[in-house]
């Protein structure tokens, strides 16, 4: 799929206790809220695990990220379904820079209750 300014890419993911367990092993983020379930049996999903959602667009389109900005608005819990919407804000060929294509995108992620949990942007080049 070729991207262009104005494109909006949407996808969703459910986070599980196993996701949190694996990310804990990889990241070393062992905050008690990631290890001990709350009164509803849920764990808090690590912020950076949640932040992998918009990076999926980068992976799908071979983006080499140069900058990323995340604003964590509320916790995400195991069992939540997070819907991520990525908007392509800039997409242009850079003739003087090895013919790479620059990309800037913004994103917003909401939980199944339509509550915003994460927003931000990223910039990079297409490989």
């Amino acid at each position: 799929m070729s991207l262009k300014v104005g494109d909006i890419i949407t996808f969703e993911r459910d986070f599980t206790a196993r996701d949190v367990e694996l990310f804990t092993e990889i990241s070393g983020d062992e905050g008690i809220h990631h290890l001990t379930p709350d009164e509803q049996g849920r764990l808090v999903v690590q912020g950076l695990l949640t932040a992998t959602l918009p990076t999926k667009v980068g992976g799908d389109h071979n983006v080499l990220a140069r900058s990323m900005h995340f604003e964590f608005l509320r916790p995400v819990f195991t069992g939540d379904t997070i819907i991520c919407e990525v908007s392509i804000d800039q997409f242009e060929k850079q003739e003087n820079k090895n013919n790479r294509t620059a990309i800037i995108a913004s994103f917003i992620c909401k939980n199944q209750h339509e509550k915003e949990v994460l927003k931000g942007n990223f910039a990079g080049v297409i490989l």
Side-chain angles (χ1 to χ4, degrees):
M1 170 176 131
S2 180
L3 296 174
K4 64 184 180 306
V5 171
D7 282 353
I8 297 175
I9 303 160
T10 304
F11 54 93
E12 67 181 54
R13 178 174 178 185
D14 297 335
F15 284 100
T16 67
R18 181 72 176 139
D19 295 331
V20 171
E21 178 184 326
L22 289 170
F23 196 80
T24 298
E25 287 178 29
I26 291 168
S27 68
D29 183 350
E30 297 178 341
I32 193 73
H33 48 292
H34 303 310
L35 303 175
T36 305
D38 67 5
E39 61 280 350
Q40 296 174 22
R42 308 171 304 172
L43 297 172
V44 174
V45 176
Q46 290 92 339
L48 288 179
L49 177 54
T50 305
T52 64
L53 288 172
T55 67
K56 179 183 183 318
V57 171
D60 288 350
H61 298 281
N62 295 314
V63 174
L64 177 61
R66 292 206 168 141
S67 66
M68 296 178 166
H69 175 261
F70 300 104
E71 185 176 350
F72 300 94
L73 304 170
R74 61 177 27 93
V76 171
F77 297 93
T78 53
D80 282 352
T81 299
I82 306 301
I83 299 95
C84 186
E85 184 175 281
V86 178
S87 302
I88 307 303
D89 302 326
Q90 179 183 336
F91 193 82
E92 62 186 42
K93 196 76 148 169
Q94 297 181 316
E95 301 298 331
N96 60 345
K97 295 188 178 181
N98 298 327
N99 290 324
R100 297 262 172 119
T101 301
I103 183 171
I104 297 175
S106 54
F107 56 85
I108 187 138
C109 300
K110 297 178 182 178
N111 66 20
Q112 68 274 16
H113 305 294
E114 296 290 318
K115 301 287 187 182
E116 293 180 3
V117 297
L118 174 67
K119 67 180 180 177
N121 56 65
F122 64 86
V125 294
I126 305 292
L127 295 177

